[in-house]
């Protein structure tokens, strides 16, 4: 490979802003910019700040409610 060919490396992922602070993401901590932002996000998941919404009319067992 010549020097010209190695300069044209396509990035694996597009650059995106960090979901926590908005700075450019880093390859080592993608999609976050730093280990700190990555850990802040993990703490929010573990503490229950983030939750997947569930409708009240859904049953746990998937059966129709009896009347």
């Amino acid at each position: 490979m010549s020097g010209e060919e190695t300069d044209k490396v396509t990035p694996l992922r597009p650059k995106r802003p960090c979901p926590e602070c908005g700075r450019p993401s880093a390859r080592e901590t993608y999609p976050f910019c730093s280990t700190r932002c990555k850990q802040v996000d993990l703490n929010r998941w573990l503490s229950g700040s983030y939750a997947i919404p569930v409708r009240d009319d859904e049953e746990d067992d998937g059966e129709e409610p009896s009347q």
Side-chain angles (χ1 to χ4, degrees), residues 23-34:
R23 292 187 299 198
S25 60
R27 176 177 274 186
E28 301 81 29
T29 55
Y30 189 82
F32 304 98
C33 68
S34 65

Side-chain angles (χ1 to χ4, degrees), residues 6 10 26 62:
T6 58
T10 305

Side-chain angles (χ1 to χ4, degrees), residues 8-63:
K8 298 178 182 179
V9 176
T10 305
L12 297 176
R13 298 182 188 122
K15 289 260 183 186
R16 295 208 167 118
C18 175
E20 288 299 318
C21 68
R23 292 187 299 198
S25 60
R27 176 177 274 186
E28 301 81 29
T29 55
Y30 189 82
F32 304 98
C33 68
S34 65
T35 302
R36 180 190 175 281
C37 284
K38 190 175 186 177
Q39 290 176 347
V40 166
D41 184 72
L42 177 61
N43 182 50
R44 288 184 180 156
W45 278 106
L46 296 176
S47 66
S49 295
Y50 294 148
I52 298 172
V54 178
R55 294 189 328 228
D56 290 336
D57 62 342
E58 291 180 351
E59 292 291 321
D60 289 337
D61 58 3
E63 295 177 10

